[in-house]
Amino acid sequence: MTELLTAAQMRAIEQAAIDSGEVTGLELMERAGQGVVDAIFAEWPELAGGSPRAVVLCGPGNNGGDGFVVARLLKEAGWQVEVFLYGDVEKLPPDARVNYERWCKIGLVQSHRDLTRDELFYFNIRIDAVFGTGLSRMLQGEVRDFCKLIDACAPDVCVDIPSGFCADSGRYLTNSHEPRAGPGTDPLVVTFGWPKRGLFLDLCSIQIRKVVCVDIGVEDYIGLPESQQNLTMLVGQSSSQKYEWEHKYDHGHALILSGGAGKGGAARLAARGALRIGAGAVTIGTPPAALIENAAQLNAIMLRGMKDATQLTETLQDKRINALCIGPGLGLGEREAHLLDVALNATRPGLDPGPPPRPSVGGPGSSPGRRLVLDADALTLLAQDKTLFAKLHKNCILTPHAGEFARLFPDIAAKLDAPATKGPAYSKVDATRDAAKRAGCIVLFKGPDTVIADPSGRCSINASLYERSAPWLATAGSGDVLAGFITGLLARGFAPMQAAETGAWLHTECALSFGPGLIAEDLPEELPKVFRALGL
């Protein structure tokens, strides 16, 4: 897990480092500029020789100061460098002004007004150091026009964050839903200390090719209260190891509820995912009319007729069942609403379904009790019935995509969809946290920038971006498998937040392992290869 910081958190850390007397702001700026240059040399080693041409676009703040350092270091390395400044020299912050004056001893600073789009394409490397993480105003007038020019020139490198984007939300600061001048070339972003949250969210995340995080020597200050407030984590590898216990029920028993005849595919995908990820036993509860259909396609997965809510109640007398998944292919009728009602009641905190898997692998916060994953049709039923929604509790995990999220939380979705006119803008992280607090349970808001939050505000991002980009996950049934992965981990004793984070991470890993051509059925079958690669 990696910390993702907001602009305010990073400012607090840098200021604490400066206040300690161990480093100055000018030294931090020099380290940042050197980090950008090192990243350029590493990314384009073929430019190390000769005399490449670079243009550095500097802004009116400390991001521009970083740019002046980059320009000076590249020129000292033998590059031909031109610098353009947006803003008033007299208003530069002190450290940026010092680096402006250092550059002026060896090169010229031209006005941004003299810059043309055609001219920019003659440079080998175009570096955007105009607006960094401190940008909070809406882009309009001359500022917006200049950002559109930067966009059109397709910068190769962006310092800290592409200009015009909110570092906290990844949203473009404009009152329009059509923010950008062109597609750009997906730049390399060099950021400092820790990655910024916005680099993994919204429009910003899909405009970037790669993120490099440079150590500038302030890592000892991450534990400050100011920097830990509302901290967001980037999901990383989590152990899914099994141990040599006595029998299958030591690894939990998952129950997946299925739809009727011809509609059981989604539940079968979820069940296969739960079994492959390590649940000791998996049962599909299906309407009697679909028993033969399911039996013809399943072997290791058990079946139980589930005519109505009464039969579900009877089934849950088996206290070995400790994780449920309801929703994939379920249906939206009265029977299904009653099934959901029973499932919500049967997984309430405080109920004892029997002994948990032993030992519990959920880590801190894991405890006995049934857990419930709600996906697909179950989410629609919740959106349609306020009484059912009110029964949500901390043992539940909701897994909506954007459309389902909007049905469940229409006001929150509307706030997220509104133009971002100032920073820090309302983000997908904010929206997911608000939704989790309202629902009283874990919310996993799906997408390439999947955000997972619990009611306390703990939050993480599973980013299928950059080197983990897996666009082939956008295939029918992929979400059903994810629901199954999470259910299987819950059955094994993972705490709900950890199950959601680990399931999402493994979901992406399976897609990366398989590659293009992936269909949902391939995801569970790829897990053994992924586990072997992880040494499990």
Side-chain angles (χ1 to χ4, degrees):
M1 302 282 275
T2 301
E3 297 90 349
L4 299 179
L5 301 192
T6 64
Q9 287 167 334
M10 191 65 209
R11 282 195 299 271
I13 288 170
E14 289 176 337
Q15 191 59 52
I18 294 168
D19 292 345
S20 74
E22 295 183 3
V23 68
T24 66
L26 205 57
E27 288 171 328
L28 291 179
M29 194 170 284
E30 187 73 17
R31 294 173 188 176
Q34 184 65 63
V36 174
V37 171
D38 292 344
I40 290 171
F41 290 162
E43 190 71 14
W44 293 282
E46 68 277 10
L47 297 178
S51 184
R53 297 186 70 213
V55 60
V56 185
L57 308 178
C58 295
N62 284 327
N63 197 248
D66 296 338
F68 290 123
V69 176
V70 172
R72 172 169 49 82
L73 294 176
L74 287 176
K75 191 169 181 69
E76 290 172 356
W79 286 41
Q80 301 176 60
V81 183
E82 294 188 32
V83 174
F84 290 83
L85 173 63
Y86 178 90
D88 184 351
V89 172
E90 300 302 321
K91 295 181 179 179
L92 286 171
D95 293 337
R97 180 63 182 264
V98 169
N99 279 307
Y100 163 83
E101 292 169 352
R102 287 176 177 175
W103 166 256
C104 287
K105 292 177 181 179
I106 59 174
L108 298 174
V109 176
Q110 304 173 69
S111 169
H112 75 278
R113 294 185 179 88
D114 299 327
L115 188 65
T116 66
R117 175 178 174 176
D118 291 342
E119 182 181 4
L120 286 167
F121 287 103
Y122 287 101
F123 293 94
N124 299 101
I125 296 290
R126 294 163 288 276
I127 301 166
D128 167 17
V130 180
F131 297 115
T133 58
L135 182 67
S136 60
R137 56 178 165 160
M138 182 175 70
L139 302 175
Q140 53 188 346
E142 188 179 38
V143 177
R144 179 177 170 82
D145 291 342
F146 190 57
C147 282
K148 291 175 87 172
L149 176 63
I150 297 172
D151 221 13
C153 86
D156 303 285
V157 179
C158 296
V159 178
D160 228 0
I161 195 165
S163 286
F165 283 94
C166 169
D168 292 4
S169 67
R171 303 180 68 190
Y172 202 72
L173 294 176
T174 175
N175 59 1
S176 167
H177 282 287
E178 192 175 342
R180 309 204 78 204
T185 58
D186 299 329
L188 165 70
V189 171
V190 184
T191 192
F192 312 116
W194 290 267
K196 310 308 177 292
R197 200 170 74 181
L199 296 173
F200 296 87
L201 293 171
D202 216 275
L203 184 63
C204 185
S205 69
I206 62 174
Q207 303 287 339
I208 299 169
R209 175 173 54 85
K210 182 179 180 181
V211 174
V212 172
C213 191
V214 172
D215 179 356
I216 57 172
V218 295
E219 284 64 28
D220 290 343
Y221 299 90
I222 184 63
L224 293 172
E226 296 88 347
S227 66
Q228 289 289 320
Q229 206 168 36
N230 294 320
L231 192 64
T232 303
M233 307 297 290
L234 184 67
V235 174
Q237 178 182 342
S238 178
S239 175
S240 300
Q241 186 172 355
K242 273 194 170 185
Y243 300 91
E244 295 179 359
W245 303 330
E246 293 178 1
H247 54 73
K248 58 181 177 288
Y249 292 114
D250 283 337
H251 302 287
H253 185 179
L255 175 64
I256 318 288
L257 299 189
S258 170
K263 297 179 180 178
R268 289 192 293 272
L269 286 169
R272 189 73 174 174
L275 192 65
R276 275 291 189 196
I277 212 161
V282 179
T283 294
I284 287 182
T286 177
L291 275 169
I292 294 175
E293 172 192 321
N294 281 301
Q297 301 188 57
L298 299 171
N299 292 307
I301 293 165
M302 299 180 286
L303 290 170
R304 184 176 178 91
M306 200 74 63
K307 179 181 178 181
D308 52 28
T310 299
Q311 285 196 303
L312 175 58
T313 301
E314 293 170 356
T315 299
L316 291 175
Q317 295 303 307
D318 183 348
K319 292 189 175 183
R320 295 173 300 184
I321 297 173
N322 63 336
L324 286 78
C325 176
I326 181 166
L330 183 70
L332 299 172
E334 186 176 348
R335 165 189 173 270
E336 289 72 33
H338 287 157
L339 290 172
L340 177 55
D341 189 32
V342 169
L344 287 165
N345 289 329
T347 53
R348 289 196 322 273
L351 298 182
D352 180 16
R358 56 184 180 85
S360 172
V361 295
S366 180
S367 60
R370 283 192 176 122
R371 273 64 182 267
L372 174 62
V373 176
L374 298 158
D375 188 39
D377 288 345
L379 301 177
T380 301
L381 289 169
L382 288 171
Q384 292 174 349
D385 190 331
K386 292 181 180 180
T387 303
L388 287 174
F389 186 94
K391 291 187 176 184
L392 290 169
H393 49 72
K394 67 178 183 180
N395 284 344
C396 298
I397 300 175
L398 309 183
T399 61
H401 56 56
E404 292 162 342
F405 187 92
R407 289 194 289 274
L408 282 165
F409 310 101
D411 56 327
I412 297 175
K415 188 175 179 181
L416 182 61
D417 191 49
T421 57
K422 63 179 181 179
Y426 194 71
S427 72
K428 190 173 180 179
V429 165
D430 299 320
T432 310
R433 279 181 167 144
D434 287 346
K437 184 176 181 180
R438 180 181 298 177
C441 64
I442 305 292
V443 174
L444 183 150
F445 190 173
K446 291 187 283 198
D449 54 347
T450 291
V451 180
I452 308 161
D454 73 7
S456 74
R458 177 185 169 188
C459 190
S460 60
I461 299 172
N462 181 66
S464 299
L465 302 164
Y466 314 133
E467 72 279 0
R468 297 190 78 236
S469 178
W472 41 90
L473 270 175
T475 184
S478 172
D480 303 318
V481 176
L482 174 60
F485 280 3
I486 297 170
T487 306
L489 292 169
L490 292 174
R492 291 181 52 191
F494 279 60
M497 186 73 176
Q498 188 189 22
E501 292 169 340
T502 304
W505 189 82
L506 288 170
H507 194 242
T508 300
E509 288 298 300
C510 288
L512 293 172
S513 176
F514 189 92
L518 174 85
I519 59 175
E521 287 94 327
D522 300 320
L523 288 164
E525 309 317 307
E526 201 67 17
L527 267 175
K529 187 189 297 184
V530 170
F531 285 153
R532 284 194 297 272
L534 294 172
L536 301 180

